[in-house]
């Protein structure tokens, strides 16, 4: 059995999958730019010529925003004058009546969010030799995310309210899926450098209360890193 260890640093360009919870009318979502910086140490085993498994420990910082538009129905009631109409089209007052009505009003809601996570990725890799010292390495895995800090600012132009949520409003633990592709160059017998492109998707809602808002970040990241093979790469 052979072992390896590595370190990598990169940047994640994210999208935010969002919805308005119970408000089905809020369907038009516009994502703002969001960036996640991440640093990661990883350790693993070489099971055979092609297959590696590993685990990592890292820290990521997320910053993003989104906005969506919708239509809200506002019910009301009032006393109105009731009329009757004769055969000639003339209208005559016929007393007061209580009436109910529904008004439609457009609105825009926006959320800005920052968060920091401790990340523990668990992954499997398959090494494909490209000839010479080059390898192509696809990978699949999952990431356990522990929330260190978080804050979101929620603005509703319909009610002119600004609501601020802190860490207590978010789930402490979350899971995300991870898929990637790494281009590796074996610089020396025990050392390699690599460029990796990964896709990350959070499973479920980061908020504890899913009836208000849903925030589930996803995105692509590019990492550069070094790897050390303790017994050399076969």
């Amino acid at each position: 059995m052979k072992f390896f260890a590595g370190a990598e640093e990169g940047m994640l360009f994210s999208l935010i999958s969002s919805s308005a919870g119970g408000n089905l009318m809020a369907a038009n979502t516009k994502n703002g730019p969001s960036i996640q910086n991440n640093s990661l140490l990883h350790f693993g085993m070489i099971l055979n010529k092609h297959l590696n498994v590993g685990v990592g420990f890292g820290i990521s910082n997320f910053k993003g925003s989104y906005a969506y538009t919708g239509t809200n129905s506002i019910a009301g009631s009032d006393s109105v004058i009731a009329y009757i109409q004769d055969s000639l089209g003339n209208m005559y007052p016929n007393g007061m009546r209580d009436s109910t009505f529904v008004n439609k009003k457009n609105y825009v809601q926006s959320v800005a969010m920052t968060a920091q996570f401790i990340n523990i990725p668990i992954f499997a890799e398959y090494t494909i030799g490209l000839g010479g010292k080059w390898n192509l390495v696809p990978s699949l895995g999952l990431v356990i995310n522990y929330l260190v800090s978080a804050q979101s600012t929620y603005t509703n132009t319909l009610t002119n309210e600004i609501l601020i949520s802190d860490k207590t409003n978010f789930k402490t633990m979350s899971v995300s899926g991870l898929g990637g592709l790494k281009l590796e160059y074996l610089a020396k017998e025990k050392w390699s450098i690599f460029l990796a492109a990964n896709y990350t998707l959070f499973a479920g809602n980061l908020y504890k209360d899913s009836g208000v808002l849903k925030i589930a970040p996803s995105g692509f990241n590019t990492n550069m890193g070094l790897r050390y093979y303790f017994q050399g790469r076969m």
Side-chain angles (χ1 to χ4, degrees):
M1 196 76 68
K2 295 187 176 184
F3 299 90
F4 61 84
E8 53 191 283
E9 177 81 21
M11 183 173 292
L12 172 65
F13 301 91
S14 299
L15 298 175
I16 304 179
S17 171
S18 57
S19 65
N23 191 341
L24 300 179
M25 299 300 295
N28 300 316
T29 303
K30 182 179 180 181
N31 291 289
S34 50
I35 297 175
Q36 177 175 324
N37 300 309
N38 63 90
S39 301
L40 179 69
L41 298 174
H42 64 259
F43 310 89
M45 295 184 297
I46 301 173
L47 300 183
N48 56 44
K49 182 179 179 180
H50 296 288
L51 187 60
N52 304 333
V53 294
V55 63
F57 179 86
I59 297 176
S60 59
N61 296 284
F62 174 84
K63 181 179 181 180
S65 64
Y66 72 85
Y68 57 80
T69 59
T71 303
N72 195 54
S73 298
I74 303 175
S77 62
D78 200 359
S79 295
V80 298
I81 301 175
Y83 289 82
I84 59 174
Q85 187 174 20
D86 62 18
S87 59
L88 299 178
N90 297 313
M91 300 183 67
Y92 303 94
N94 191 36
M96 302 294 292
R97 299 285 189 275
D98 291 331
S99 177
T100 60
F101 56 89
V102 176
N103 286 334
K104 302 283 187 178
K105 186 173 181 179
N106 295 328
Y107 66 91
V108 177
Q109 291 177 316
S110 61
V111 170
M113 176 183 167
T114 58
Q116 185 179 60
F117 299 94
I118 292 176
N119 310 114
I120 302 176
I122 303 169
F123 59 90
E125 300 177 335
Y126 189 84
T127 302
I128 303 170
L130 299 179
K133 296 184 177 182
W134 293 93
N135 291 325
L136 191 65
V137 187
S139 62
L140 285 174
L142 60 86
V143 184
I144 301 170
N145 306 288
Y146 176 80
L147 184 67
V148 177
S149 63
Q151 179 176 295
S152 66
T153 303
Y154 173 91
T155 305
N156 186 333
T157 58
L158 180 65
T159 61
N160 293 321
E161 292 179 313
I162 298 177
L163 305 177
I164 298 177
S165 299
D166 60 15
K167 179 184 175 181
T168 60
N169 299 104
F170 292 82
K171 295 176 181 177
T172 303
M173 301 291 292
S174 61
V175 176
S176 53
L178 176 67
L181 189 64
K182 184 186 286 98
L183 182 62
E184 180 184 37
Y185 177 73
L186 301 173
K188 293 185 177 181
E189 179 185 356
K190 295 184 177 182
W191 286 96
S192 74
I193 58 175
F194 61 83
L195 177 65
N198 299 307
Y199 177 75
T200 304
L201 174 63
F202 275 76
N205 192 4
L206 295 185
Y207 276 120
K208 288 181 179 179
D209 183 2
S210 59
V212 180
L213 287 170
K214 177 183 178 181
I215 291 187
S218 65
F220 294 92
N221 75 294
T222 56
N223 281 12
M224 292 188 66
L226 295 170
R227 179 172 287 184
Y228 180 78
Y229 295 97
F230 290 95
Q231 294 84 19
R233 177 69 187 173
M234 65 175 63

